[in-house]
Structures are given as structure tokens and as C-alpha cells.
Amino acid sequence: MTTTHNANRPVHGALFYCSEREYIDSVVRFVSEWLSVAQPVLVAVPGDKIGLLRDALGPAARKVTMIDITEEGRNPGRLIGLLATFVERHGHQPVRIIGEPIWPERSAVEYPACVQHEALVNVALADQDVTGVCLYDATRLGDGALADARRTHPTIWQDGSAEVNPDYAVDDALAQCNQPLSTSPVAVTSTVCQPADLANARRCSTRYGRLLGMSSDRLADLQLITTELATNSLDHGGGVCRLAFWHEAGHVVCEARDIGYLTDPLAGRRRPNARHAGPYGLFVVNAIADLVRTHTTPDGTTIQAYLQLDRPLVEA
């Protein structure tokens, strides 16, 4: 297998696999080639596949950074920060990444955030010397998911080489993911107009979380998310934040609505630094939440942060 790559021109490709054998063989070929020229390799795949890959790679596996993406990337909004950290850790070296951010067990509510992540990778790593290969289970994912993979990847890997993808349409994919978010008619609400209102918003979130049986640690997470979302609205979203809390599919949802507009599609996904000084609060929210969904237009922005409950509720 020969990988062609131009410096400072990222290759973000999709590879559709049809069997476990094809999956393992493809990853091993990529990793072996990259390690042979001493390039850093990150493999981010579901945990049940890490053992298979370690066994197939043998001693070479010790040279590869492997993470369970179902844990580290259960919120797709964390993944760009994770990738950027790996790239920065290796300075000016070419970096190689294999990932599987969309696996068949992803929920319907998570899926749009996964597609959005795949689209934004092309923006986030545009000035980096990175080759990324995203694995897609062609036998278990639906036709829609495979079509979205083609929209978000400028190359498709076939027969050991990366081919230019004529279906690549990243702007269409981003527009598809930026759709209005549904709310709950029975949500508990709170309005934050000034910093003095934050204490009441935190009390509101705490009372609701306790009703759902959240542990003290999860309550602290919910309080921090509430604070950061409301503060972000006060600072960047027009000065008023309308909060709502409800329970959905084993999660508590904290929603913030304001009249601001998120002009940076990577806001909250990159760790703020001298180069990227975006809203730090949104990065904190992505780091804590199990899922973050966003809808933004010039008329206003809605952000929904999901926190998984410690134990499922018993519905009446």
C-alpha cells in the first residue's frame, strides 16, 4: 500500500469495510506502513476492536496510541480537540490517524453530531500534515450513513489507494447538521439576564437533577454545564439566556437559547489558546457532556447538552 501525501494538505479519507478480516487487514497495513517511516499513529476505534488490533499488530502495537472512541468520543464534539492535541504533541511531524466515529450502535440523536464532526475535521486540520482514515461498516450502517460519509470525506480508500471523491460536499453536510432542535413541552425553565441570575439557574438545575436521582458528581457536572452555557450567552449571545431542562432517553438535557450567532463552526471544539481564543466555556461543556447539539442562525442559537443519568428512570 502506498500513501501519497503533500505537506500541509490533509488527506481525510473514508474506508468502507465488509468483514472483520477486511477491517483488521486494512488497519494493520496502514499502521505498518506508517510505523516503517517512524510516523506517529493514533487509532481511535470502539473498545471491542482494540484487542483484535493489538493481537494482529503484535509488538508493533506498543508504538501506537490506541483509545476507545466509545468512551473518549461518545460526545463527537470532543474529538477534534483530542485529534488536535495528538497533532500538537508531535510538533511538525506528519501524523497519521485511524478513527471510527460512526459505529452502528450510535443513537439517532448522536448521529447528526457525528456527521458534523466528520465535516469539521476538514476545517480543523486544514493546515496540518495529517492523514486520516475513517472506517465505516458497510454491512451494518444504512445507505444514508454511507452517503453522508461520501459527503464528508474528500477521498475514498479503495484497493489500497486514496481516490478523489466526486461526492464530497462538506458545506452541504454542515447545512444538513445545522437544523432546528426539538425541545420538550414539559421542560423546567429558567432565564438568566445578568450574572446575579446564575445562582438561581444552578439551583433550578440541581433541583431537577435530584428529582431524576442524579449522583452528586453528575449534579456537579450539570451545574457546571448550566453555568458555562448561561455565561456564554451573557458574554456572546446577546445578553439573555433561556434555559430549559428535561429528561430524554436516559439523559438529562440542558438547553440554552439566545439571540447570538456562532460564526466559528469550531467554537468549543478546539482548546482555546493564543491561536484559537474562542469561547472557553463551550470547550468545557463539550469536555463534560455526553453529547452536545447546536443549531445556529443569524436569528439565534440553541445549544443542547446531554448528560447520561447514573441509572435509567423507571417510567410510570
Side-chain angles (χ1 to χ4, degrees):
M1 177 184 296
T2 299
T3 304
T4 58
H5 187 79
N6 296 322
N8 298 323
R9 293 291 301 277
V11 175
H12 180 215
L15 188 152
F16 304 124
Y17 66 92
C18 297
S19 69
E20 183 179 279
R21 185 75 264 160
E22 183 182 5
Y23 182 97
I24 293 172
D25 288 347
S26 296
V27 173
V28 169
R29 284 198 301 270
F30 279 118
V31 172
S32 298
E33 179 189 345
W34 295 334
L35 290 180
S36 72
V37 289
Q39 294 172 342
V41 180
L42 169 67
V43 175
V45 297
D48 60 346
K49 294 175 179 174
I50 290 178
L52 296 174
L53 294 175
R54 288 191 187 280
D55 290 343
L57 286 165
R62 293 193 293 270
K63 302 177 183 179
V64 180
T65 300
M66 293 192 183
I67 63 170
D68 182 352
I69 199 169
T70 64
E71 290 295 327
E72 299 295 330
R74 64 184 182 274
N75 172 14
R78 298 178 191 167
L79 286 171
I80 284 175
L82 185 152
L83 301 182
T85 297
F86 185 76
V87 172
E88 291 166 5
R89 185 185 307 149
H90 294 284
H92 300 293
Q93 288 181 271
V95 169
R96 308 305 180 224
I97 298 168
I98 294 175
E100 192 170 6
I102 300 178
W103 56 90
E105 291 76 20
R106 281 286 201 185
S107 69
V109 71
E110 291 172 330
Y111 178 75
C114 297
V115 177
Q116 185 180 42
H117 159 74
E118 286 282 57
L120 288 174
V121 165
N122 300 288
V123 180
L125 301 179
D127 60 347
Q128 305 294 326
D129 189 359
V130 176
T131 293
V133 179
C134 296
L135 304 167
Y136 284 81
D137 188 338
T139 64
R140 297 179 62 204
L141 294 171
D143 291 343
L146 301 182
D148 285 336
R150 292 185 175 276
R151 274 191 284 270
T152 54
H153 293 80
T155 60
I156 302 293
W157 283 92
Q158 293 180 327
D159 300 323
S161 62
E163 305 292 338
V164 174
N165 174 22
D167 298 323
Y168 179 59
V170 69
D171 290 339
D172 290 346
L174 287 172
Q176 169 189 319
C177 297
N178 187 34
Q179 298 297 320
L181 302 174
S182 60
T183 188
S184 170
V186 296
V188 174
T189 61
S190 179
T191 300
V192 177
C193 300
Q194 55 188 343
D197 297 329
L198 289 170
N200 184 61
R202 283 191 290 268
R203 285 193 293 270
C204 180
S205 70
T206 300
R207 287 195 298 269
Y208 187 69
R210 283 175 177 157
L211 285 174
L212 299 179
M214 297 181 79
S215 67
S216 57
D217 288 342
R218 290 267 85 178
L219 283 173
D221 289 341
L222 181 58
Q223 288 178 338
L224 183 53
I225 286 173
T226 300
T227 300
E228 295 297 346
L229 288 179
T231 300
N232 182 72
S233 289
L234 293 178
D235 293 343
H236 307 286
V240 175
C241 177
R242 294 171 177 82
L243 293 166
F245 305 92
W246 68 89
H247 166 249
E248 179 180 316
H251 294 77
V252 60
V253 183
C254 175
E255 176 188 88
R257 291 178 181 261
D258 58 46
I259 60 171
Y261 180 34
L262 281 176
T263 57
D264 179 6
L266 295 172
R269 295 171 184 268
R270 298 180 295 201
R271 185 181 300 278
N273 54 35
R275 185 179 177 191
H276 305 298
Y280 185 75
L282 294 185
F283 183 85
V284 172
V285 171
N286 266 313
I288 297 171
D290 296 299
L291 175 67
V292 176
R293 299 285 311 281
T294 301
H295 174 241
T296 187
T297 73
D299 296 322
T301 293
T302 301
I303 301 175
Q304 294 177 351
Y306 287 66
L307 273 179
Q308 188 169 15
L309 296 175
D310 304 276
R311 57 183 181 276
L313 287 182
V314 177
E315 302 289 351

